Amino acid sequence: MTGRLGFWLAHLFVLAYCGVLLGGFVVQFVTGDLPCPLCILQRMAMMLVAFGPLYIIARTRRGDVRLADYAMGYGMSIVAAVAGAAIAVRQILLHIVPPDPGYGSPLLGLHLYTWAFITFCVVLVFCGVSLIFARALVPRGVRFGWPSKVVCGLFLVIVAANLVVVFLQAGFHWFLPPDPDRYEIFHGLALWSAGAISGGATE
Amino acid sequence: MATIIFAVLLVAGWLIVRGGGRGTVLAAWTVSLCAILLLFNYHVGAKLPLNF
C-alpha cells in the first residue's frame, strides 16, 4: 500500500509543478506580464526539481525502484529546490523595500516569485518527509502505465513549450533583457523585413 | 542562453523519461544545474545591488 502511495505521490509532485508552470503561462499570455530573467530561471529550477520524482516514476519501467534510486531522485529535488529558493530570494530582495511595487501583478496578495519561494520550501519539506519514510514509500508492485505516460508526456510538453516561448522572447540575443516588454523575435523580424523592404526600394 | 538551457532541460527530461541509466541521468541533471547557476550568476552580476 505505502509502495503505491510513494509512486502516486511522485506523480502528484510532477503534476503540481506542471500546474505551477502552466499558471506561469496563464499569467504571461492572459495578463500580458512578460517573465523577467529571474522568473525564467525559477521556471528552470522548477523543472530541475521535478526531474527527481520524474526519475522515480521512470525507474518503474525497469521493475521495482531501489531505495538508492528513490533517495537519488529526492536528493536531486532538494539540491534543485535550494538553488530555486536562492533565485527566488534574490528577486524578493530586489523588490523588498517600499515603495517598490514589485515585478508583475500579485496573485492572492503575493508576487509570483514569492509564490515560487513558497513552492521550493514545500518541496524541501516534502522531500525531507519522503526520505524519512523512504523504506516504506519506495514504489513496489507498480508499473509504468498510461497515467505515468500522461504525466511524463505533459511535463515534457511544458518544457518544450517553455523552450519555444523563451526563444520568442529572447530572439537571437544571448541574454534576456532585465525588464522585458516585448517578444524580441517579432521585433527583430519586423526590423529585418522593414530593412529588406527599404533596401529593396533603394536598389 | 535561456533557450539553450531549456533545450538541455528538454534533453535531460527526455533521457529520464526514456529510462536512462543512473549515471546518464545524474550527468544530464548536473549539466542543467550548472548551466542554470551560471546564468543566475550572470544576472546577479548584471542587475543593480540589492534594494536594502
Side-chain angles (χ1 to χ4, degrees):
Chain A
M1 176 60 194
T2 50
R4 285 178 186 272
L5 179 67
F7 184 59
W8 294 118
L9 280 175
H11 284 75
L12 190 67
F13 189 148
V14 178
L15 271 181
Y17 259 135
C18 286
V20 171
L21 290 165
L22 287 174
F25 274 151
V26 170
V27 170
Q28 181 171 353
F29 294 115
V30 176
T31 69
D33 282 338
L34 287 185
C36 67
L38 289 175
C39 307
I40 295 289
L41 278 166
Q42 285 159 58
R43 287 187 189 181
M44 291 172 181
M46 287 176 186
M47 290 168 191
L48 214 56
V49 166
F51 280 173
L54 204 68
Y55 174 68
I56 294 168
I57 294 168
R59 291 305 281 187
T60 58
R61 281 173 179 270
R62 300 183 177 188
D64 284 348
V65 180
R66 290 179 302 153
L67 186 62
D69 293 325
Y70 189 78
M72 180 181 136
Y74 283 132
M76 281 164 35
S77 294
I78 287 172
V79 175
V82 170
I87 298 166
V89 164
R90 164 71 188 176
Q91 196 169 6
I92 291 169
L93 292 180
L94 278 173
H95 302 289
I96 199 166
V97 177
D100 190 322
Y103 186 87
S105 315
L107 179 73
L108 301 173
L110 296 176
H111 284 91
L112 293 185
Y113 42 85
T114 312
W115 282 116
F117 177 73
I118 292 171
T119 69
F120 290 125
C121 291
V122 170
V123 164
L124 290 174
V125 173
F126 175 84
C127 292
V129 173
S130 295
L131 288 174
I132 290 170
F133 299 104
R135 280 190 190 283
L137 288 174
V138 172
R140 276 184 296 264
V142 291
R143 65 184 189 86
F144 191 88
W146 69 265
S148 307
K149 286 178 187 166
V150 168
V151 169
C152 294
L154 175 66
F155 180 76
L156 289 182
V157 166
I158 289 173
V159 177
N162 269 283
L163 167 64
V164 172
V165 168
V166 88
F167 173 66
L168 295 179
Q169 201 182 328
F172 293 99
H173 299 278
W174 192 240
F175 295 107
L176 282 165
D179 293 310
D181 56 356
R182 66 187 182 205
Y183 288 94
E184 293 292 336
I185 191 81
F186 299 132
H187 182 71
L189 284 176
L191 283 180
W192 180 80
S193 59
I197 290 166
S198 63
T202 54
E203 283 174 3
Chain B
M1 183 116 173
T3 312
I4 294 170
I5 295 177
F6 273 119
V8 172
L9 284 168
L10 186 60
V11 171
W14 184 79
L15 281 173
I16 291 171
V17 172
R18 293 303 299 161
R22 190 182 166 90
T24 313
V25 169
L26 210 52
W29 179 86
T30 307
V31 168
S32 310
L33 178 67
C34 290
I36 290 171
L37 290 177
L38 271 176
L39 187 59
F40 178 48
N41 184 50
Y42 168 79
H43 284 300
V44 167
K47 197 81 180 179
L48 294 171
L50 292 178
N51 191 7
F52 286 119

